[in-house]
Amino acid sequence: QLREQLGPAVGAEVRSVATGMGAGVCAGCGGPRRRRGREPRKVVGLFGDVEFERDRTDCRGCGSRAYPADEALGLEPKERYSLGVVEKALFLATDSSYAKSEAGMKELLRVNISHGEIHRLAQKEGELLHDTFEGLRERIFERGERAELERLEAAAPVKDLVIIQADGTYVRDRGSRDRMEAKAGIVYSRKVRISKGRNQLVDKQTYGGVETMKAFGEKLALLAAQQGAFKAKQLWFVSDGDLALRQLRK
């Protein structure tokens, strides 16, 4: 009932924002933009589907195209789902299958999104996270921008104990059948008992990849820095006796 009541108001506010936006300036070159007509858009949101029209603008300097209303509303280009829908769907998918996430979105939020679309969104988000993390690794370990690492460590809390675990195993690529080593790491500091014989890691951060051991170790170190590992009172590193993992610990 609340969704039905708020849906029209949310839609009206979106259309109001879209109508009131100016052309603005180009985010790339800073040049002035000019209106080049209006285009319709439909977005699936948490309060129902919203349809509206917004201005299309072109930059007088570099010629790039933009939709100021989309930017103001936080809508990604060509994405039919709002950020709220994406976040909720991916949150469900972290602990259940894509099919169950689809059912959960429909039952709990009355949002129709297929399991295939949730999988697509997960792949898209994974690529963004990978690019962001890889960029951070390159700046710190390849270019030597240590200020980035200092900011990570400064923002992390001081903990009594941080535990890092790492392991690896060989797998084959489905296409080429080439053999490669998959590596995984986890960083955590707290666990709670949720039932008899069952504990949950409440602050765990994980990373896995098939890159070189050097790149994997650097990314695991960044994850550990975010968790406050290098200023904790105790730091444990847990792995088997593999030589590469012993070197990673050092």
Side-chain angles (χ1 to χ4, degrees):
Q1 292 178 343
L2 180 63
R3 174 186 167 87
E4 293 176 354
Q5 293 172 6
L6 293 179
V10 171
E13 181 64 23
V14 168
R15 287 185 284 273
S16 175
V17 170
T19 302
M21 289 298 301
V25 297
C26 177
C29 69
R33 291 190 170 277
R34 54 186 173 185
R35 292 184 174 89
R36 289 295 190 184
R38 296 174 67 78
E39 293 184 6
R41 183 165 187 180
K42 181 178 179 180
V43 177
V44 178
L46 292 174
F47 294 93
D49 297 353
V50 178
E51 297 185 45
F52 60 97
E53 286 192 346
R54 77 277 200 240
D55 289 330
R56 183 185 75 245
T57 65
D58 292 340
C59 175
R60 294 175 180 269
C62 65
S64 63
R65 176 171 295 181
Y67 298 87
D70 291 0
E71 296 172 359
L73 293 168
L75 301 175
E76 295 186 12
K78 301 180 180 180
E79 181 56 70
R80 60 180 302 218
Y81 300 101
S82 71
L83 179 60
V85 169
V86 172
E87 288 178 338
K88 300 301 184 293
L90 294 183
F91 177 79
L92 290 175
T94 58
D95 285 322
S96 61
S97 68
Y98 294 122
K100 289 182 178 178
S101 300
E102 174 189 349
M105 291 293 290
K106 186 174 183 178
E107 178 67 24
L108 300 175
L109 298 173
R110 299 295 188 269
V111 173
N112 292 315
I113 177 171
S114 70
H115 63 276
E117 282 290 87
I118 298 175
H119 177 261
R120 176 185 66 82
L121 292 171
Q123 293 289 99
K124 179 180 177 182
E125 187 70 14
E127 291 174 1
L128 290 173
L129 289 172
H130 174 271
D131 293 344
T132 299
F133 212 41
E134 177 61 22
L136 182 62
R137 185 198 69 80
E138 287 182 357
R139 290 195 299 275
I140 292 176
F141 293 100
E142 302 292 340
R143 304 177 197 167
E145 298 177 10
R146 307 301 291 182
E148 290 268 13
L149 182 58
E150 292 172 2
R151 280 193 288 270
L152 285 181
E153 293 182 327
V158 177
K159 300 179 179 180
D160 292 330
L161 171 66
V162 173
I163 301 171
I164 303 173
Q165 293 180 247
D167 201 357
T169 187
Y170 281 96
V171 297
R172 290 192 180 277
D173 182 270
R174 287 185 177 180
S176 65
R177 305 302 298 168
D178 290 338
R179 194 165 175 259
M180 54 189 175
E181 185 179 21
K183 296 166 280 289
I186 181 172
V187 183
Y188 64 96
S189 63
R190 294 193 306 122
K191 65 179 181 179
V192 295
R193 185 176 182 181
I194 57 176
S195 64
K196 184 177 180 180
R198 294 182 62 202
N199 294 317
Q200 180 178 10
L201 306 180
V202 295
D203 63 344
K204 68 178 179 181
Q205 295 289 323
T206 60
Y207 177 75
V210 293
E211 67 267 81
T212 65
M213 183 61 76
K214 178 178 181 295
F216 169 76
E218 290 169 349
K219 291 178 180 177
L220 188 59
L222 293 178
L223 207 63
Q226 292 174 334
Q227 287 281 68
F230 303 119
K231 57 182 183 181
K233 295 179 181 178
Q234 293 186 75
L235 174 60
W236 295 358
F237 186 92
V238 183
S239 70
D240 59 23
D242 181 79
L243 176 60
L245 290 175
R246 294 206 306 269
Q247 293 174 339
L248 178 62
R249 174 180 61 83
K250 296 178 181 179

